[in-house]
Amino acid sequence: MGGEKPKTILTDQDVAMAKAISIVMPETFHGLCTWHIRQNALRHVNHLYQTSSQFCLDFEACIDLHEEEGKFLNAWNSLLVEHNVPEDSWLHTIFPLKEKWAWAYVRKTFTAGMRSTQLSESFNADLKNDLKSDLHLVQFFTHFKRAVDGKRNNESEAEYDSKHKPPKFKTTKSRMLVQAGNVYTPRIFEEFQAEYEEYQDTCIRDLKGGLYAVTNYDNPKERIVMGNPVEQYVYCDCRKFETHGILCSHALKVLDVMNIKLIPEHYILKRWTRDARLGKKKKRCNGMVRIAQDDGGEARENVCGEEVREDRQGTTATAVDRCR
């Protein structure tokens, strides 16, 4: 990982792993897989699920819905009281770890939108399809290599599609959508385009002082957004960018109100771009990603349709007058 420690690691409730992460990577956020928490709940407090269907709704709300710590704590206490949870229940053992699984706390850190260990679980499932206990060592590595090669092949195909297939626009093209299509990988562009479509159905109220209240058509909850047109800064209390790494529909609405028609460069995470693996210095012109090359010039069109070129040393980028 380029010598850098991950921002977030998700695991099950393995005690040894938790201790190792805290020692080796103390600055990394250690979250608990919510899928495993749900499975453990079914195993340890299944009688509560059987007694009342409301318990499932209340428990799910504590995991995923409550955004504020105070509301989460009130909801948790209500769950314990209303469902007559005894003091020796498994629920009391999971509560001290709430900062690792409850959305009220997890939303404070970057997780790339992940709440479970589904990627590793998927790989484990693929291995189990090929591996058997009676295989000798050579057979084991043969099957293991087949599983790994399959994953790498899928990754290579996705990389090729990212480089060579044009983005699929679901709505009328705009400068921002074209920019996002050129910069983001297909999957991230699809997520961004969904937010872009949603922002067109939002309503906004100017609260003055750089504050705005934004609501979506299908969700009456108001989101408070701060915006600064000079610094091209925007912050939404839904924390979509802080947790997922892409701007939310509320932030996009405020950018539009501030007459900012392109995604500000500081809101484009390198990890989500088509050129994330290159690890080379990027240069942009009106949202166009430029990759500095050491062995020759390179040209590509930017979002305004003009050509951008770098010199053969890869140290400067020039464009026709309309892009300057």
Side-chain angles (χ1 to χ4, degrees):
M1 293 181 288
E4 296 185 6
K5 297 177 181 178
K7 294 183 178 180
T8 300
I9 290 181
L10 299 175
T11 72
D12 57 16
Q13 292 177 249
D14 185 83
V15 177
M17 291 182 67
K19 183 177 181 180
I21 292 172
S22 65
I23 295 174
V24 179
M25 294 177 285
E27 297 178 357
T28 296
F29 171 75
H30 177 208
L32 294 181
C33 171
T34 54
W35 183 85
H36 282 96
I37 288 177
R38 290 181 172 94
Q39 294 302 306
N40 287 332
L42 287 172
R43 185 180 305 113
H44 294 286
V45 292
N46 186 262
H47 62 285
L48 295 178
Y49 284 95
Q50 300 297 328
T51 303
S52 171
S53 60
Q54 186 62 38
F55 172 79
C56 179
L57 298 176
D58 294 341
F59 187 57
E60 289 294 322
C62 289
I63 295 176
D64 287 330
L65 295 184
H66 300 298
E67 296 182 352
E68 300 174 11
E69 181 179 15
K71 291 184 178 180
F72 164 77
L73 294 176
N74 290 336
W76 184 263
N77 290 330
S78 297
L79 178 145
L80 298 179
V81 173
E82 293 178 7
H83 299 283
N84 298 316
V85 178
E87 293 185 1
D88 60 347
S89 172
W90 170 84
L91 291 174
H92 289 289
T93 67
I94 195 69
F95 179 74
L97 303 174
K98 59 186 180 298
E99 289 86 358
K100 296 185 176 184
W101 56 265
W103 181 236
Y105 303 94
V106 177
R107 70 190 296 265
K108 298 177 182 179
T109 190
F110 178 80
T111 60
M114 297 176 61
R115 298 289 304 283
S116 69
T117 57
Q118 68 263 35
L119 290 179
S120 62
E121 295 297 333
S122 174
F123 184 63
N124 291 341
D126 290 341
L127 285 178
K128 290 179 181 178
N129 290 334
D130 291 325
L131 300 182
K132 298 180 180 179
S133 59
D134 59 347
L135 295 179
H136 58 67
L137 194 59
V138 174
Q139 290 175 319
F140 167 81
F141 279 108
T142 299
H143 287 292
F144 180 79
K145 184 177 184 301
R146 183 186 299 118
V148 172
D149 287 345
K151 293 291 184 181
R152 288 176 175 170
N153 181 66
N154 293 339
E155 190 172 337
S156 296
E157 290 180 355
E159 181 80 5
Y160 179 87
D161 291 344
S162 175
K163 295 290 185 183
H164 301 286
K165 288 189 176 181
K168 297 179 180 179
F169 295 97
K170 297 180 180 179
T171 184
T172 304
K173 291 183 181 180
S174 67
R175 293 181 65 195
M176 183 175 287
L177 272 183
V178 174
Q179 174 202 20
N182 287 335
V183 173
Y184 286 137
T185 63
R187 180 170 180 177
I188 297 301
F189 173 69
E190 185 177 341
E191 293 186 25
F192 178 84
Q193 186 167 216
E195 293 292 335
Y196 188 89
E197 290 178 337
E198 191 170 316
Y199 116 74
Q200 298 180 66
D201 280 332
T202 57
C203 298
I204 189 169
R205 291 191 300 115
D206 189 348
L207 302 179
K208 307 301 181 182
L211 292 177
Y212 302 87
V214 182
T215 54
N216 292 101
Y217 174 76
D218 58 351
N219 187 351
K221 180 179 176 60
E222 275 194 338
R223 290 296 183 180
I224 304 301
V225 184
M226 294 186 293
N228 185 323
V230 177
E231 298 182 2
Q232 295 195 338
Y233 167 83
V234 66
Y235 169 80
C236 179
D237 65 3
C238 79
R239 296 185 60 82
K240 176 83 173 186
F241 179 77
E242 287 73 18
T243 57
H244 290 62
I246 61 173
L247 290 172
C248 62
S249 59
H250 321 103
L252 294 177
K253 183 70 171 183
V254 173
L255 286 178
D256 185 52
V257 168
M258 296 190 301
N259 203 31
I260 298 174
K261 304 302 181 182
L262 292 172
I263 308 171
E265 183 174 343
H266 46 274
Y267 290 118
I268 299 177
L269 299 189
K270 178 184 175 182
R271 67 167 64 227
W272 299 145
T273 65
R274 294 171 179 262
D275 299 311
R277 286 189 167 189
L278 296 183
K280 299 178 181 179
K281 184 179 179 181
K282 297 181 178 181
K283 298 179 181 180
R284 304 179 187 274
C285 175
N286 280 3
M288 178 62 217
V289 174
R290 305 297 299 124
I291 305 300
Q293 301 286 357
D294 295 329
D295 55 356
E298 177 182 334
R300 203 184 302 175
E301 283 193 344
N302 65 16
V303 294
C304 61
E306 301 299 340
E307 191 177 71
V308 180
R309 287 190 178 274
E310 292 183 355
D311 64 15
R312 296 192 62 81
Q313 286 72 40
T315 56
T316 61
T318 58
V320 295
D321 290 341
R322 277 199 293 165
C323 290
R324 288 174 181 167

